Amino acid sequence: MAILAADCMPVLFTSIHGDIVGAAHAGWRGLSSGVLEQTVGAMRSLQPALQSRDILAWMGPAISQDAFEVGEDVLEAFSMSPQPILSKAFMPIKGRSGKYLANLYLLAQDRLRSVGVEHISGGGFCTFHDSARFFSYRRDGITGRFASLIWIPLKK
């Protein structure tokens, strides 16, 4: 499975035994629409005995909070999230009414935990600031994409 991204977050999943994998493209629209929860649900439907706590999630490179300026529409898309998460994930920009710096990583962690995924890693790269390694649409306008891959190895 492959996810192509330039600022949105690729999220890769595996069962603890590595026999079921998943991948999601998680920008703010996908996160607010439940793409992570749906991916976990699809994995569990493939193996009914699989529990959410036995799924590992890795958050790939994405735009970081200090570079991700959004408007009221994005904040409103997450209005059903718990208030403590919203107050940390959306930092108002001083002097710019209705503008916020959004934290995709924190929003994704909250969504994953809400469906019982406990093993969450990654989230340490910023596509906007690391131009040597990553494409960024917000930084460059017209740009390529990087790929995040996950697979189940063939058994010999």
Side-chain angles (χ1 to χ4, degrees):
M1 302 179 114
I3 297 292
L4 298 177
D7 282 319
C8 294
M9 182 189 327
V11 181
L12 304 179
F13 298 85
T14 183
S15 64
I16 202 157
H17 300 293
D19 55 344
I20 304 264
V21 297
H25 181 271
W28 73 264
R29 285 180 184 87
L31 283 174
S32 66
S33 297
V35 69
L36 301 182
E37 298 94 317
Q38 292 168 25
T39 304
V40 169
M43 290 176 68
R44 293 189 64 203
S45 72
L46 292 172
Q47 190 178 86
L50 180 64
Q51 298 295 309
S52 293
R53 68 177 176 269
D54 295 327
I55 295 174
L56 291 77
W58 176 78
M59 301 180 301
I63 193 166
S64 62
Q65 184 171 24
D66 66 342
F68 190 34
E69 182 179 322
V70 300
E72 290 282 343
D73 58 327
V74 178
L75 176 62
E76 289 174 15
F78 291 93
S79 64
M80 299 305 291
S81 298
Q83 186 57 41
I85 294 301
L86 291 179
S87 64
K88 292 177 186 174
F90 292 93
M91 303 301 293
I93 299 174
K94 291 180 182 169
R96 302 208 45 217
S97 180
K99 296 294 181 177
Y100 303 87
L101 294 173
N103 188 327
L104 287 177
Y105 290 125
L106 186 58
L107 292 166
Q109 289 168 358
D110 179 61
R111 294 291 177 127
L112 290 166
R113 287 189 180 109
S114 76
V115 292
V117 176
E118 300 168 358
H119 305 286
I120 306 166
S121 61
F125 295 105
C126 176
T127 54
F128 184 88
H129 292 299
D130 193 345
S131 61
R133 289 196 280 186
F134 303 112
F135 294 110
S136 170
Y137 181 80
R138 287 267 176 139
R139 181 187 64 230
D140 301 326
I142 298 173
T143 187
R145 302 291 186 263
F146 62 87
S148 298
L149 305 156
I150 190 165
W151 61 92
I152 300 171
L154 295 175
K155 295 184 181 181
K156 295 181 181 182

